[in-house]
PDB file of all heavy atoms in Angstrom:
ATOM      1  N   ARG A 914     127.197 112.651  96.145  1.00 95.00           N
ATOM      2  CA  ARG A 914     127.717 113.798  96.858  1.00 95.00           C
ATOM      3  C   ARG A 914     127.679 113.481  98.352  1.00 95.00           C
ATOM      4  O   ARG A 914     126.607 113.281  98.938  1.00 95.00           O
ATOM      5  CB  ARG A 914     126.907 115.054  96.592  1.00 95.00           C
ATOM      6  CG  ARG A 914     127.491 116.260  97.339  1.00 95.00           C
ATOM      7  CD  ARG A 914     126.490 117.338  97.636  1.00 95.00           C
ATOM      8  NE  ARG A 914     126.946 118.242  98.659  1.00 95.00           N
ATOM      9  CZ  ARG A 914     127.680 119.330  98.423  1.00 95.00           C
ATOM     10  NH1 ARG A 914     128.042 119.636  97.194  1.00 95.00           N
ATOM     11  NH2 ARG A 914     128.040 120.110  99.411  1.00 95.00           N
ATOM     12  N   SER A 915     128.838 113.457  98.951  1.00 91.00           N
ATOM     13  CA  SER A 915     128.911 113.228 100.389  1.00 91.00           C
ATOM     14  C   SER A 915     128.566 114.524 101.129  1.00 91.00           C
ATOM     15  O   SER A 915     128.526 115.604 100.533  1.00 91.00           O
ATOM     16  CB  SER A 915     130.312 112.754 100.778  1.00 91.00           C
ATOM     17  OG  SER A 915     131.271 113.703 100.374  1.00 91.00           O
ATOM     18  N   ARG A 916     128.328 114.418 102.392  1.00 85.00           N
ATOM     19  CA  ARG A 916     127.991 115.592 103.227  1.00 85.00           C
ATOM     20  C   ARG A 916     126.796 116.350 102.656  1.00 85.00           C
ATOM     21  O   ARG A 916     126.776 117.575 102.595  1.00 85.00           O
ATOM     22  CB  ARG A 916     129.190 116.531 103.374  1.00 85.00           C
ATOM     23  CG  ARG A 916     130.407 115.855 103.992  1.00 85.00           C
ATOM     24  CD  ARG A 916     131.592 116.815 104.109  1.00 85.00           C
ATOM     25  NE  ARG A 916     131.959 117.385 102.846  1.00 85.00           N
ATOM     26  CZ  ARG A 916     132.733 116.792 101.965  1.00 85.00           C
ATOM     27  NH1 ARG A 916     133.197 115.590 102.203  1.00 85.00           N
ATOM     28  NH2 ARG A 916     133.047 117.392 100.830  1.00 85.00           N
ATOM     29  N   ALA A 917     125.806 115.572 102.222  1.00 87.00           N
ATOM     30  CA  ALA A 917     124.592 116.203 101.684  1.00 87.00           C
ATOM     31  C   ALA A 917     123.845 116.919 102.806  1.00 87.00           C
ATOM     32  O   ALA A 917     123.845 116.473 103.956  1.00 87.00           O
ATOM     33  CB  ALA A 917     123.700 115.154 101.047  1.00 87.00           C
ATOM     34  N   ILE A 918     123.215 118.027 102.450  1.00 85.00           N
ATOM     35  CA  ILE A 918     122.513 118.853 103.426  1.00 85.00           C
ATOM     36  C   ILE A 918     121.019 118.599 103.345  1.00 85.00           C
ATOM     37  O   ILE A 918     120.399 118.832 102.306  1.00 85.00           O
ATOM     38  CB  ILE A 918     122.789 120.348 103.174  1.00 85.00           C
ATOM     39  CG1 ILE A 918     124.284 120.637 103.330  1.00 85.00           C
ATOM     40  CG2 ILE A 918     121.963 121.216 104.124  1.00 85.00           C
ATOM     41  CD1 ILE A 918     124.667 122.054 102.976  1.00 85.00           C
ATOM     42  N   GLY A 919     120.464 118.091 104.425  1.00 81.00           N
ATOM     43  CA  GLY A 919     119.032 117.951 104.566  1.00 81.00           C
ATOM     44  C   GLY A 919     118.334 117.413 103.348  1.00 81.00           C
ATOM     45  O   GLY A 919     118.716 116.391 102.783  1.00 81.00           O
ATOM     46  N   ASN A 920     117.316 118.125 102.894  1.00 86.00           N
ATOM     47  CA  ASN A 920     116.526 117.711 101.750  1.00 86.00           C
ATOM     48  C   ASN A 920     116.876 118.502 100.495  1.00 86.00           C
ATOM     49  O   ASN A 920     116.059 118.616  99.588  1.00 86.00           O
ATOM     50  CB  ASN A 920     115.035 117.857 102.052  1.00 86.00           C
ATOM     51  CG  ASN A 920     114.520 116.696 102.865  1.00 86.00           C
ATOM     52  OD1 ASN A 920     114.998 115.579 102.707  1.00 86.00           O
ATOM     53  ND2 ASN A 920     113.571 116.954 103.728  1.00 86.00           N
ATOM     54  N   TYR A 921     118.096 119.003 100.452  1.00 90.00           N
ATOM     55  CA  TYR A 921     118.528 119.743  99.265  1.00 90.00           C
ATOM     56  C   TYR A 921     118.802 118.776  98.125  1.00 90.00           C
ATOM     57  O   TYR A 921     119.470 117.755  98.313  1.00 90.00           O
ATOM     58  CB  TYR A 921     119.785 120.550  99.577  1.00 90.00           C
ATOM     59  CG  TYR A 921     120.194 121.475  98.466  1.00 90.00           C
ATOM     60  CD1 TYR A 921     119.574 122.709  98.295  1.00 90.00           C
ATOM     61  CD2 TYR A 921     121.197 121.123  97.575  1.00 90.00           C
ATOM     62  CE1 TYR A 921     119.937 123.560  97.271  1.00 90.00           C
ATOM     63  CE2 TYR A 921     121.566 121.968  96.548  1.00 90.00           C
ATOM     64  CZ  TYR A 921     120.940 123.181  96.411  1.00 90.00           C
ATOM     65  OH  TYR A 921     121.293 124.018  95.381  1.00 90.00           O
ATOM     66  N   VAL A 922     118.300 119.098  96.955  1.00 94.00           N
ATOM     67  CA  VAL A 922     118.514 118.274  95.773  1.00 94.00           C
ATOM     68  C   VAL A 922     119.592 118.938  94.923  1.00 94.00           C
ATOM     69  O   VAL A 922     119.428 120.071  94.481  1.00 94.00           O
ATOM     70  CB  VAL A 922     117.213 118.127  94.955  1.00 94.00           C
ATOM     71  CG1 VAL A 922     117.466 117.240  93.735  1.00 94.00           C
ATOM     72  CG2 VAL A 922     116.104 117.527  95.812  1.00 94.00           C
ATOM     73  N   TYR A 923     120.675 118.247  94.708  1.00 96.00           N
ATOM     74  CA  TYR A 923     121.820 118.795  93.977  1.00 96.00           C
ATOM     75  C   TYR A 923     121.688 118.451  92.495  1.00 96.00           C
ATOM     76  O   TYR A 923     121.580 117.283  92.137  1.00 96.00           O
ATOM     77  CB  TYR A 923     123.121 118.212  94.532  1.00 96.00           C
ATOM     78  CG  TYR A 923     123.374 118.571  95.975  1.00 96.00           C
ATOM     79  CD1 TYR A 923     122.874 117.792  97.008  1.00 96.00           C
ATOM     80  CD2 TYR A 923     124.107 119.708  96.313  1.00 96.00           C
ATOM     81  CE1 TYR A 923     123.095 118.123  98.331  1.00 96.00           C
ATOM     82  CE2 TYR A 923     124.337 120.044  97.633  1.00 96.00           C
ATOM     83  CZ  TYR A 923     123.825 119.256  98.634  1.00 96.00           C
ATOM     84  OH  TYR A 923     124.043 119.596  99.934  1.00 96.00           O
ATOM     85  N   THR A 924     121.711 119.461  91.654  1.00 96.00           N
ATOM     86  CA  THR A 924     121.500 119.237  90.226  1.00 96.00           C
ATOM     87  C   THR A 924     122.658 119.680  89.339  1.00 96.00           C
ATOM     88  O   THR A 924     122.571 119.560  88.118  1.00 96.00           O
ATOM     89  CB  THR A 924     120.218 119.960  89.752  1.00 96.00           C
ATOM     90  OG1 THR A 924     120.363 121.360  89.993  1.00 96.00           O
ATOM     91  CG2 THR A 924     118.987 119.434  90.494  1.00 96.00           C
ATOM     92  N   LEU A 925     123.728 120.156  89.930  1.00 97.00           N
ATOM     93  CA  LEU A 925     124.871 120.623  89.154  1.00 97.00           C
ATOM     94  C   LEU A 925     126.012 119.627  89.273  1.00 97.00           C
ATOM     95  O   LEU A 925     126.306 119.143  90.366  1.00 97.00           O
ATOM     96  CB  LEU A 925     125.314 122.002  89.635  1.00 97.00           C
ATOM     97  CG  LEU A 925     124.242 123.077  89.567  1.00 97.00           C
ATOM     98  CD1 LEU A 925     124.748 124.380  90.185  1.00 97.00           C
ATOM     99  CD2 LEU A 925     123.793 123.306  88.139  1.00 97.00           C
ATOM    100  N   SER A 926     126.674 119.346  88.168  1.00 97.00           N
ATOM    101  CA  SER A 926     127.682 118.296  88.166  1.00 97.00           C
ATOM    102  C   SER A 926     128.831 118.594  89.120  1.00 97.00           C
ATOM    103  O   SER A 926     129.375 117.674  89.754  1.00 97.00           O
ATOM    104  CB  SER A 926     128.221 118.068  86.747  1.00 97.00           C
ATOM    105  OG  SER A 926     128.784 119.249  86.224  1.00 97.00           O
ATOM    106  N   TYR A 927     129.200 119.872  89.284  1.00 96.00           N
ATOM    107  CA  TYR A 927     130.344 120.183  90.140  1.00 96.00           C
ATOM    108  C   TYR A 927     130.023 119.970  91.623  1.00 96.00           C
ATOM    109  O   TYR A 927     130.925 119.962  92.462  1.00 96.00           O
ATOM    110  CB  TYR A 927     130.844 121.611  89.906  1.00 96.00           C
ATOM    111  CG  TYR A 927     129.930 122.711  90.398  1.00 96.00           C
ATOM    112  CD1 TYR A 927     129.920 123.089  91.737  1.00 96.00           C
ATOM    113  CD2 TYR A 927     129.099 123.390  89.524  1.00 96.00           C
ATOM    114  CE1 TYR A 927     129.092 124.102  92.192  1.00 96.00           C
ATOM    115  CE2 TYR A 927     128.257 124.404  89.973  1.00 96.00           C
ATOM    116  CZ  TYR A 927     128.260 124.760  91.299  1.00 96.00           C
ATOM    117  OH  TYR A 927     127.438 125.750  91.743  1.00 96.00           O
ATOM    118  N   GLU A 928     128.759 119.784  91.936  1.00 96.00           N
ATOM    119  CA  GLU A 928     128.373 119.547  93.326  1.00 96.00           C
ATOM    120  C   GLU A 928     128.616 118.094  93.749  1.00 96.00           C
ATOM    121  O   GLU A 928     128.500 117.774  94.924  1.00 96.00           O
ATOM    122  CB  GLU A 928     126.893 119.906  93.516  1.00 96.00           C
ATOM    123  CG  GLU A 928     126.606 121.391  93.325  1.00 96.00           C
ATOM    124  CD  GLU A 928     125.135 121.732  93.423  1.00 96.00           C
ATOM    125  OE1 GLU A 928     124.304 121.038  92.772  1.00 96.00           O
ATOM    126  OE2 GLU A 928     124.789 122.692  94.141  1.00 96.00           O
ATOM    127  N   TYR A 929     128.966 117.244  92.804  1.00 96.00           N
ATOM    128  CA  TYR A 929     129.174 115.831  93.101  1.00 96.00           C
ATOM    129  C   TYR A 929     130.654 115.505  93.146  1.00 96.00           C
ATOM    130  O   TYR A 929     131.438 116.028  92.355  1.00 96.00           O
ATOM    131  CB  TYR A 929     128.475 114.965  92.052  1.00 96.00           C
ATOM    132  CG  TYR A 929     126.970 115.010  92.203  1.00 96.00           C
ATOM    133  CD1 TYR A 929     126.221 116.035  91.631  1.00 96.00           C
ATOM    134  CD2 TYR A 929     126.301 114.042  92.942  1.00 96.00           C
ATOM    135  CE1 TYR A 929     124.849 116.093  91.800  1.00 96.00           C
ATOM    136  CE2 TYR A 929     124.922 114.084  93.103  1.00 96.00           C
ATOM    137  CZ  TYR A 929     124.206 115.124  92.536  1.00 96.00           C
ATOM    138  OH  TYR A 929     122.851 115.181  92.710  1.00 96.00           O
ATOM    139  N   ASP A 930     131.036 114.623  94.071  1.00 94.00           N
ATOM    140  CA  ASP A 930     132.456 114.333  94.240  1.00 94.00           C
ATOM    141  C   ASP A 930     132.845 112.900  93.916  1.00 94.00           C
ATOM    142  O   ASP A 930     134.018 112.552  93.994  1.00 94.00           O
ATOM    143  CB  ASP A 930     132.920 114.694  95.661  1.00 94.00           C
ATOM    144  CG  ASP A 930     131.917 114.298  96.738  1.00 94.00           C
ATOM    145  OD1 ASP A 930     131.175 113.312  96.531  1.00 94.00           O
ATOM    146  OD2 ASP A 930     131.875 114.967  97.778  1.00 94.00           O
ATOM    147  N   ASN A 931     131.882 112.075  93.547  1.00 96.00           N
ATOM    148  CA  ASN A 931     132.206 110.708  93.119  1.00 96.00           C
ATOM    149  C   ASN A 931     131.347 110.361  91.906  1.00 96.00           C
ATOM    150  O   ASN A 931     130.136 110.629  91.900  1.00 96.00           O
ATOM    151  CB  ASN A 931     131.940 109.703  94.245  1.00 96.00           C
ATOM    152  CG  ASN A 931     132.963 109.792  95.345  1.00 96.00           C
ATOM    153  OD1 ASN A 931     134.093 109.333  95.194  1.00 96.00           O
ATOM    154  ND2 ASN A 931     132.594 110.405  96.450  1.00 96.00           N
ATOM    155  N   TRP A 932     131.981 109.740  90.930  1.00 97.00           N
ATOM    156  CA  TRP A 932     131.313 109.413  89.675  1.00 97.00           C
ATOM    157  C   TRP A 932     131.575 107.972  89.277  1.00 97.00           C
ATOM    158  O   TRP A 932     132.660 107.436  89.523  1.00 97.00           O
ATOM    159  CB  TRP A 932     131.809 110.326  88.553  1.00 97.00           C
ATOM    160  CG  TRP A 932     131.406 111.741  88.715  1.00 97.00           C
ATOM    161  CD1 TRP A 932     132.007 112.686  89.504  1.00 97.00           C
ATOM    162  CD2 TRP A 932     130.288 112.392  88.105  1.00 97.00           C
ATOM    163  NE1 TRP A 932     131.332 113.881  89.413  1.00 97.00           N
ATOM    164  CE2 TRP A 932     130.275 113.730  88.562  1.00 97.00           C
ATOM    165  CE3 TRP A 932     129.295 111.980  87.210  1.00 97.00           C
ATOM    166  CZ2 TRP A 932     129.311 114.651  88.154  1.00 97.00           C
ATOM    167  CZ3 TRP A 932     128.343 112.889  86.802  1.00 97.00           C
ATOM    168  CH2 TRP A 932     128.348 114.213  87.273  1.00 97.00           C
ATOM    169  N   GLY A 933     130.574 107.361  88.657  1.00 97.00           N
ATOM    170  CA  GLY A 933     130.764 106.061  88.050  1.00 97.00           C
ATOM    171  C   GLY A 933     131.373 106.199  86.666  1.00 97.00           C
ATOM    172  O   GLY A 933     131.602 107.317  86.182  1.00 97.00           O
ATOM    173  N   GLN A 934     131.612 105.068  86.039  1.00 97.00           N
ATOM    174  CA  GLN A 934     132.231 105.045  84.717  1.00 97.00           C
ATOM    175  C   GLN A 934     131.230 105.251  83.591  1.00 97.00           C
ATOM    176  O   GLN A 934     131.621 105.552  82.460  1.00 97.00           O
ATOM    177  CB  GLN A 934     132.971 103.726  84.503  1.00 97.00           C
ATOM    178  CG  GLN A 934     134.173 103.545  85.426  1.00 97.00           C
ATOM    179  CD  GLN A 934     135.195 104.640  85.206  1.00 97.00           C
ATOM    180  OE1 GLN A 934     135.666 104.863  84.093  1.00 97.00           O
ATOM    181  NE2 GLN A 934     135.559 105.335  86.279  1.00 97.00           N
ATOM    182  N   GLY A 935     129.976 105.090  83.878  1.00 97.00           N
ATOM    183  CA  GLY A 935     128.950 105.320  82.871  1.00 97.00           C
ATOM    184  C   GLY A 935     128.463 104.038  82.219  1.00 97.00           C
ATOM    185  O   GLY A 935     129.183 103.039  82.159  1.00 97.00           O
ATOM    186  N   THR A 936     127.242 104.090  81.733  1.00 98.00           N
ATOM    187  CA  THR A 936     126.657 102.976  80.996  1.00 98.00           C
ATOM    188  C   THR A 936     125.930 103.540  79.774  1.00 98.00           C
ATOM    189  O   THR A 936     125.233 104.555  79.876  1.00 98.00           O
ATOM    190  CB  THR A 936     125.702 102.149  81.885  1.00 98.00           C
ATOM    191  OG1 THR A 936     125.239 101.009  81.168  1.00 98.00           O
ATOM    192  CG2 THR A 936     124.507 102.955  82.370  1.00 98.00           C
ATOM    193  N   GLN A 937     126.123 102.895  78.645  1.00 98.00           N
ATOM    194  CA  GLN A 937     125.566 103.387  77.392  1.00 98.00           C
ATOM    195  C   GLN A 937     124.099 103.004  77.261  1.00 98.00           C
ATOM    196  O   GLN A 937     123.728 101.843  77.450  1.00 98.00           O
ATOM    197  CB  GLN A 937     126.341 102.822  76.210  1.00 98.00           C
ATOM    198  CG  GLN A 937     125.792 103.217  74.838  1.00 98.00           C
ATOM    199  CD  GLN A 937     126.015 104.674  74.509  1.00 98.00           C
ATOM    200  OE1 GLN A 937     127.114 105.208  74.700  1.00 98.00           O
ATOM    201  NE2 GLN A 937     124.978 105.344  74.001  1.00 98.00           N
ATOM    202  N   VAL A 938     123.293 103.981  76.914  1.00 98.00           N
ATOM    203  CA  VAL A 938     121.885 103.751  76.586  1.00 98.00           C
ATOM    204  C   VAL A 938     121.681 104.216  75.148  1.00 98.00           C
ATOM    205  O   VAL A 938     121.974 105.367  74.823  1.00 98.00           O
ATOM    206  CB  VAL A 938     120.944 104.515  77.528  1.00 98.00           C
ATOM    207  CG1 VAL A 938     119.499 104.426  77.037  1.00 98.00           C
ATOM    208  CG2 VAL A 938     121.059 103.971  78.947  1.00 98.00           C
TER     209      VAL A 938
END
């Protein structure tokens, strides 16, 4: 998530604007 605010921890998926392709575990 770009433009992060201070020490706020973002836990909701819609708050993020860039995603990787994923890795299987």
